[in-house]
Amino acid sequence: MEDWENLPSTSEAAAVDFGSYAGLQASPHRGMPQALGSPAYRSPQQHLKLSDRFIPTRTAAARLDYSILDRELVTAEVSRSASEREDLNPAYNLLLRSELLGGPSSSGQIPADKAQQLEQLKAPCSPSKKLFRYKSGDAASPFGGPASLSPYSMSPVGADAGIASSPMASPRRAQRKIPRAPFKVLDAPALQDDFYLNMVDWSSQNVLAVGLGPSVYLWSASTSNVSKLCDLPAGDVVCSVAWSQRGTYLSVGCNSGKVQIWDAARMRLVRTMEGHRARVGTMAWGSHVLSSGSRDRTILQRDVRAPEHFSSKLQGHRSEICGLKWSPDDRQLASGGNDNLLLVWQLGSSNPAMRFTEHKAAVKAITWSPHQHGLLASGGGTADRCIRFWNTASGLPINAIDTGSQVCNLA
């Protein structure tokens, strides 16, 4: 015992480093404990500060913060989270029941047809029957099965049957009434009465351009101000007007075959382009390409950024060009003529990609659908009186509607 108490300090440190954290400290000699009052004894606090080994603490503050007493708090938290879930919401359950079962009746019973469907779903499948078969129609027919949902269905998950009586159905909006009387009347003296000309165009900046004789007037729908944009030289008259896509420039087609481009904001002439030998009755703007159609039966493609008057000439009509319209993606140009033809041209090509001959009169009214790619509509003159729809992706006609009158414009 005396040899233990007179150990050097280095042995004391070794005893602390390799000792136990319990009440008795291990001796350098294996299996012999030290007394609590001996100089080599170190308290557990001193041991934790000096030890180089990881010894887990057993303090109460560091235990797992959960016990049986916390179940009430956890239950309350789960209930609060469940109330926020969509599938446990009473309104969601009511909507789901209404869509799948057609809505609860006044007696609280499921309708007979719905109950029959549910019984069929619950019935086990007989091994003697075909496992793979359609729900309706001939099992061997690829055209069997339930009818496809309409793209105009108001229901997010089912058919429209029972929607009107559903408690979740929104009230039907009243049909919008379009007034028969105009809210504004503008005087238009010297407006040419010619079916083949395009004398009016509305810009994306809410400004209306009208060609009256040798002059072009602008009317702002926002301020109701009227201003004169230009006067053509003596002996010349306006035959067509067309706004650029941004509504900053206005092209004016003249009876002399010239095309003028005006800056509407600065009220000044930007440039004059030639190339046609007869009047320019129709024009259409692409992104940076201006197409002009003339009585000389040609279409000129003009790049307004280039110094040349035109970059290419399209020839496919046998009579005056009276309708032009670029597709929303500026890749296809539709042209209509007095020869009853509707042609579709690809950008950069000098030959028509498609040729439609179903119209029986001049084709002036042309428009592209901004919502469906490749959907084209055209209207015929007095002898035709039809609006025809075309699929330019497949080159096939879609539908035709007889309006009972010549079609002058489409939008």
Side-chain angles (χ1 to χ4, degrees):
M1 291 294 294
E2 295 178 358
D3 294 336
W4 297 0
E5 294 176 356
N6 296 326
L7 288 174
S9 58
T10 55
S11 298
E12 295 177 3
V16 173
D17 289 343
F18 294 94
S20 171
Y21 60 87
L24 296 177
Q25 188 69 21
S27 171
H29 302 283
R30 181 176 298 178
M32 302 188 68
Q34 290 180 339
L36 294 178
S38 63
Y41 174 78
R42 293 293 184 269
S43 65
Q45 289 78 6
Q46 292 176 338
H47 164 72
L48 292 176
K49 292 180 181 179
L50 300 177
S51 175
D52 60 350
R53 287 196 301 170
F54 171 74
I55 299 176
T57 176
R58 302 301 199 271
T59 57
R63 66 178 175 82
L64 295 178
D65 193 13
Y66 180 79
S67 66
I68 300 179
L69 301 179
D70 297 332
R71 287 182 178 178
E72 295 183 359
L73 298 178
V74 175
T75 303
E77 179 66 20
V78 172
S79 301
R80 185 184 65 82
S81 301
S83 63
E84 297 176 356
R85 289 177 54 186
E86 185 183 63
D87 55 345
L88 298 180
N89 193 302
Y92 174 82
N93 293 332
L94 181 60
L95 174 61
L96 185 62
R97 188 184 306 110
S98 174
E99 293 289 346
L100 298 181
L101 305 178
S105 59
S106 57
S107 60
Q109 300 294 330
I110 300 177
D113 56 339
K114 300 295 182 181
Q116 184 178 2
Q117 295 179 7
L118 291 177
E119 291 299 329
Q120 293 177 357
L121 293 176
K122 294 177 182 179
C125 181
S126 174
S128 61
K129 297 181 181 180
K130 295 182 179 180
L131 295 179
F132 300 97
R133 61 180 301 172
Y134 297 93
K135 293 183 180 179
S136 63
D138 187 5
S141 172
F143 302 102
S148 59
L149 294 179
S150 170
Y152 307 102
S153 174
M154 298 166 54
S155 172
V157 295
D160 286 342
I163 286 293
S165 60
S166 172
M168 303 302 296
S170 302
R172 185 176 297 275
R173 180 180 298 179
Q175 187 175 5
R176 184 167 61 98
K177 295 182 179 180
I178 301 178
R180 299 181 177 223
F183 72 93
K184 186 71 174 180
V185 178
L186 302 174
D187 294 331
L191 181 66
Q192 296 193 54
D193 185 12
D194 194 329
F195 172 78
Y196 302 101
L197 303 183
N198 295 270
M199 308 300 298
V200 179
D201 195 25
W202 207 308
S203 77
S204 58
Q205 296 188 7
N206 210 15
V207 178
L208 184 68
V210 184
L212 300 177
S215 305
V216 177
Y217 290 86
L218 304 179
W219 174 71
S220 173
S222 303
T223 61
S224 295
N225 292 333
V226 178
S227 58
K228 179 186 287 189
L229 178 65
C230 66
D231 282 319
L232 298 182
D236 205 354
V237 294
V238 178
C239 294
S240 60
V241 292
W243 286 100
S244 62
Q245 293 179 346
R246 296 184 179 181
T248 54
Y249 295 100
L250 178 70
S251 60
V252 179
C254 307
N255 189 62
S256 61
K258 298 180 180 179
V259 174
Q260 296 182 355
I261 297 181
W262 287 79
D263 187 337
R266 301 180 181 179
M267 307 288 282
R268 68 180 183 87
L269 178 64
V270 177
R271 64 182 299 185
T272 301
M273 296 178 289
E274 301 179 355
H276 288 297
R277 297 173 311 209
R279 69 180 187 179
V280 181
T282 179
M283 294 176 293
W285 284 84
S287 56
H288 56 269
V289 176
L290 172 62
S291 303
S292 59
S294 172
R295 183 178 272 181
D296 63 5
R297 300 173 296 179
T298 63
I299 302 172
L300 296 183
Q301 303 281 61
R302 310 174 187 270
D303 191 337
V304 295
R305 304 169 300 178
E308 294 80 13
H309 291 279
F310 61 92
S311 57
S312 62
K313 179 184 292 187
L314 308 181
Q315 293 178 326
H317 288 277
R318 301 187 301 268
S319 185
E320 180 177 5
I321 313 297
C322 51
L324 289 174
K325 186 70 67 172
W326 279 98
S327 61
D329 58 1
D330 297 329
R331 299 180 63 182
Q332 291 181 321
L333 174 68
S335 65
N338 197 23
D339 54 359
N340 308 345
L341 293 179
L342 175 65
L343 305 181
V344 177
W345 312 77
Q346 293 287 351
L347 179 64
S349 175
S350 58
N351 297 318
M354 301 174 195
R355 186 184 185 95
F356 301 112
T357 60
E358 283 78 359
H359 282 291
K360 301 177 182 178
V363 182
K364 177 192 176 184
I366 302 173
T367 188
W368 294 84
S369 170
H371 311 292
Q372 184 171 345
H373 177 73
L375 178 57
L376 175 65
S378 59
T382 305
D384 186 71
R385 304 172 305 180
C386 290
I387 300 175
R388 299 181 183 272
F389 299 90
W390 317 89
N391 184 352
T392 61
S394 62
L396 299 176
I398 299 176
N399 194 10
I401 301 175
D402 191 347
T403 64
S405 174
Q406 68 175 1
V407 184
C408 301
N409 264 309
L410 290 173

